[in-house]
Amino acid sequence: MRPEQAGLVAQTTRALRENESEGSRYAGFHLIIGAVSALMRQNDFAGRISLKAADFRSFPMRLVSLFSAGTASMALLAGSGAAFAGGAIAPVVDVEPVVVEAAPLVAGSWAGAYAGGSVGYSFGGDDQVGFTLLEDGDEEASVLGVGDLEVKGFTAGVHVGYRWQRGNWVFGPELGYEGGSVDDSATLDVDGVTLGAESTVNSILSLVMKTGYTVNPQTLVYGTFGAARGDFDFTLSEGDDSATTGYKASGVAAGMGVERSLGARTSVFAEYQYRDFGKETVEFSDEDTTLRTNATPKHSNVKVGMNFRF
């Protein structure tokens, strides 16, 4: 070791000993000094660098300041890296709740042509029977209220129709035909003569306008009003003899009902209808003598059935 280098090492050793009292924070600086000395030996800087004890006293403080600043910077960079890596807590964003509103009911399709069939029961007839006796066209005698005929019985029918729909309103014509076993008979006492009387409803042809409202897509409530034409028989009998007169009468038909859809093309219904045919004159003639009565075949009908849409 050259004399210059030996002096440098001696000065460094004294500086470190003098700074030992400043605390353990300078304990590791002898390693730094050793590294600096090795570098100086390798590069022969001994002749060009003159270190003083005062310089070594302040050098550790400068390194501590630089180390503290570097540590703070690294901590800041580490924190930023953690934030970019997903370590930061995402901001809370208030989201309005999504309100799902129920879709409004859409009326089902009732429009178009349809056909169907039904079974029913007729009842409520009230025909008060009376007679007038005519001789050569002149009224000779009359008797009223000798009995009542209340037609009733089972029916079956078919019908076709067409409907239009505007929103919930449904309307259109319906043509129907109905037949069955609807009749009634009574025994009458006419001035001491016993007669039998029978009234029969053979068939009814009706044309009505149906107007309804869909209370929900599958249910239609409706009313009907229109014309009806009936084919009837009135029979009088005495003992084994009988006479039958057939007649036709026109009147009104009105009612109400409800229909329930079962699918795209089928539905079932229940309906009430009242038929009033007014009074119809019925005559039984034998040469110059005529027996006249007024038939009143009004009645009600209830039925259930099924429709098929085209």
Side-chain angles (χ1 to χ4, degrees):
M1 179 181 298
R2 290 194 293 259
E4 304 86 53
Q5 295 176 349
L8 178 59
V9 171
Q11 292 179 8
T12 301
T13 301
R14 284 193 303 270
L16 288 174
R17 287 176 179 174
E18 291 174 358
N19 287 280
E20 284 180 358
S21 61
E22 295 184 12
S24 58
R25 57 178 177 170
Y26 303 119
F29 279 94
H30 69 280
L31 297 176
I32 299 174
I33 297 304
V36 172
S37 299
L39 181 63
M40 293 173 60
R41 285 195 302 269
Q42 293 175 3
N43 292 282
D44 197 20
F45 290 156
R48 287 177 286 175
I49 297 177
S50 176
L51 295 177
K52 297 179 180 180
D55 293 331
F56 278 99
R57 293 189 186 98
S58 60
F59 179 65
M61 298 298 296
R62 290 196 301 269
L63 286 180
V64 168
S65 298
L66 290 175
F67 180 77
S68 299
T71 303
S73 299
M74 291 300 293
L76 179 61
L77 290 176
S80 300
F84 282 108
I89 299 175
V92 177
V93 179
D94 292 334
V95 179
E96 292 294 332
V98 178
V99 179
V100 179
E101 297 182 357
L105 291 177
V106 179
S109 178
W110 294 88
Y114 66 95
S118 64
V119 293
Y121 185 80
S122 292
F123 62 97
D126 185 14
D127 186 1
Q128 295 185 354
V129 181
F131 295 100
T132 300
L133 181 63
L134 303 174
E135 292 284 351
D136 295 328
D138 296 327
E139 184 176 325
E140 295 292 331
S142 65
V143 58
L144 302 175
V146 295
D148 290 330
L149 293 172
E150 300 177 357
V151 292
K152 56 184 175 296
F154 291 96
T155 62
V158 293
H159 55 269
V160 294
Y162 192 91
R163 292 186 283 217
W164 293 272
Q165 183 167 357
R166 297 293 181 270
N168 289 75
W169 290 100
V170 180
F171 52 91
E174 182 179 284
L175 177 67
Y177 178 84
E178 177 186 289
S181 178
V182 181
D183 53 36
D184 191 26
S185 60
T187 300
L188 312 175
D189 184 2
V190 183
D191 291 339
V193 178
T194 300
L195 298 176
E198 182 179 0
S199 178
T200 302
V201 180
N202 296 319
S203 62
I204 294 176
L205 182 68
S206 63
L207 178 62
V208 298
M209 187 70 173
K210 299 178 70 172
T211 302
Y213 187 84
T214 56
V215 296
N216 61 54
Q218 289 77 39
T219 306
L220 174 68
V221 177
Y222 61 88
T224 64
F225 186 84
R229 185 165 178 82
D231 180 72
F232 309 96
D233 285 337
F234 197 97
T235 302
L236 282 178
S237 61
E238 182 183 6
D240 294 332
D241 297 328
S242 65
T244 299
T245 298
Y247 66 97
K248 297 182 185 300
S250 298
V252 296
M256 63 185 66
V258 59
E259 188 170 349
R260 177 75 177 179
S261 177
L262 299 180
R265 296 185 178 275
T266 59
S267 59
V268 293
F269 67 89
E271 183 179 320
Y272 165 81
Q273 190 176 74
Y274 173 74
R275 294 94 176 248
D276 191 343
F277 299 93
K279 291 183 178 181
E280 192 70 21
T281 300
V282 179
E283 296 182 342
F284 298 88
S285 299
D286 180 15
E287 296 179 356
D288 296 332
T289 303
T290 301
L291 189 63
R292 178 185 292 172
T293 185
N294 291 321
T296 311
K298 63 182 179 181
H299 61 275
S300 297
N301 178 269
V302 292
K303 59 184 176 181
V304 294
M306 179 172 285
N307 286 330
F308 302 90
R309 292 193 289 274
F310 301 119

